Amino acid sequence: MNFVITTGYHPTAATEQAAREFAQQLNVEFVARNRNSLAAIQKNFHVDVILLFSKQGPLIYTDDGNYFFHLSMAELRIKNLKNGKHDHMINAMQLQPGMSVLDCTLGLATDAIVASFATGPSGKVTGLENSLLLAFIAKAGLSGFIGESPDITAALRQIEVIQADSEKYLCHVPDESYDIVYFDPMFRQPIQSSSNLKPIRLLADKRPVSLALLAEAKRVARKRIVLKEMQGSPEFERLGFTQFVGGKYSSVQYGIMEVQH
């Protein structure tokens, strides 16, 4: 994916320096913003995507809109957990404080945030993201965003973000390293009506979970593998998932695979 890096109008010296350093690190063009519109920069440099460094944090600009780090549904889901309500993903994982989760498809980090809250200070959540830009946005947001309560902020800070291809990464992870290995190949069959996801579809990894990747997950997981898919997806049968959690009227479902070592 070709992209360039720029700043907002009138950036601080620190913001511009950070943008220039990241561009140099990636060997990507840095474009001084001056009075240029983002659309003009796209046209002049023949790119679909711009990584913009602003005073409020990094932002991805595309023709379909902007994407910046936000809690999305994680905040509401955490509020529900605090109020004693259940969460289908947490139920599927059977998460308890102190457990560890490897999220192989970090994306927006929404599920990782909820998992981090559930596992608590003694837990561990690691998120893998194949897209360089999505991983960068997630890492910046998780390290800098301040939630409305200290426990939400703590949940963000506890997540480790690694920019990597899941299958290549898992090959080097020791056996039984995580309690739960989780997959949400969310862009394989995207929900077109979800407008907040449109800006990042260009960056998303649309590959399905392969049998080779599942084999590595079985080796790495201590307890279970959880796969999030559309309700009734043929992917569950293809991969051998036979246990399910999900709401009767929900569009998504969680497949569960117990791991035997």
Side-chain angles (χ1 to χ4, degrees), residues 2-6 28-29 31 41 45 47 49-52:
N2 292 327
F3 66 97
V4 295
I5 294 175
T6 189
V28 171
E29 185 90 29
V31 181
I41 292 174
F45 289 87
V47 294
V49 178
I50 295 173
L51 177 61
L52 186 149

Side-chain angles (χ1 to χ4, degrees), residues 12-132:
T12 64
T15 298
E16 181 165 341
Q17 181 181 354
R20 288 182 179 277
E21 288 178 355
F22 194 59
Q24 185 176 30
Q25 177 186 334
L26 298 179
N27 195 27
V28 171
E29 185 90 29
F30 172 81
V31 181
R33 184 67 183 274
N34 300 324
R35 295 185 178 182
N36 296 319
S37 69
L38 295 177
I41 292 174
Q42 274 185 311
K43 182 178 180 180
N44 293 338
F45 289 87
H46 308 289
V47 294
D48 295 316
V49 178
I50 295 173
L51 177 61
L52 186 149
F53 280 66
S54 73
K55 298 172 186 176
Q56 291 74 37
L59 175 150
I60 293 171
Y61 174 87
T62 74
D63 286 336
D64 288 324
N66 302 334
Y67 173 70
F68 52 92
F69 180 84
H70 52 86
L71 294 184
S72 186
M73 288 296 294
E75 191 167 27
L76 176 60
R77 289 169 64 186
I78 289 172
K79 284 181 179 178
N80 287 339
L81 288 172
K82 287 182 175 182
N83 291 329
K85 297 180 181 179
H86 70 272
D87 183 277
H88 292 308
M89 184 195 76
I90 299 301
N91 290 349
M93 293 181 180
Q94 292 190 342
L95 277 192
Q96 300 292 330
M99 290 177 65
S100 58
V101 177
L102 178 62
D103 183 343
C104 293
T105 48
L106 182 67
L108 314 181
T110 303
D111 288 336
I113 294 168
V114 178
S116 182
F117 175 81
T119 57
S122 59
K124 175 185 178 183
V125 175
T126 301
L128 306 180
E129 175 49 54
N130 194 33
S131 165
L132 172 69

Side-chain angles (χ1 to χ4, degrees), residues 59-212:
L59 175 150
I60 293 171
Y61 174 87
T62 74
D63 286 336
D64 288 324
N66 302 334
Y67 173 70
F68 52 92
F69 180 84
H70 52 86
L71 294 184
S72 186
M73 288 296 294
E75 191 167 27
L76 176 60
R77 289 169 64 186
I78 289 172
K79 284 181 179 178
N80 287 339
L81 288 172
K82 287 182 175 182
N83 291 329
K85 297 180 181 179
H86 70 272
D87 183 277
H88 292 308
M89 184 195 76
I90 299 301
N91 290 349
M93 293 181 180
Q94 292 190 342
L95 277 192
Q96 300 292 330
M99 290 177 65
S100 58
V101 177
L102 178 62
D103 183 343
C104 293
T105 48
L106 182 67
L108 314 181
T110 303
D111 288 336
I113 294 168
V114 178
S116 182
F117 175 81
T119 57
S122 59
K124 175 185 178 183
V125 175
T126 301
L128 306 180
E129 175 49 54
N130 194 33
S131 165
L132 172 69
L133 291 182
L134 291 184
F136 179 76
I137 294 289
K139 193 166 189 176
L142 292 169
S143 64
F145 189 93
I146 298 175
E148 68 171 22
S149 62
D151 51 2
I152 291 179
T153 302
L156 303 179
R157 302 294 186 269
Q158 288 160 200
I159 300 171
E160 179 186 12
V161 178
I162 299 173
Q163 193 266 313
D165 175 274
S166 296
E167 189 170 329
K168 292 178 181 177
Y169 183 84
L170 260 66
C171 289
H172 302 287
V173 176
D175 295 357
E176 302 181 52
S177 293
Y178 292 86
D179 293 310
I180 307 297
V181 176
Y182 177 66
F183 297 100
D184 172 16
M186 60 185 292
F187 290 98
R188 193 179 59 80
Q189 291 183 333
I191 301 172
Q192 299 298 335
S193 61
S194 184
S195 59
N196 63 325
L197 300 182
K198 287 182 180 179
I200 58 176
R201 288 200 178 112
L202 281 172
L203 311 173
D205 187 345
K206 301 176 180 66
R207 294 174 297 172
V209 175
S210 68
L211 293 175

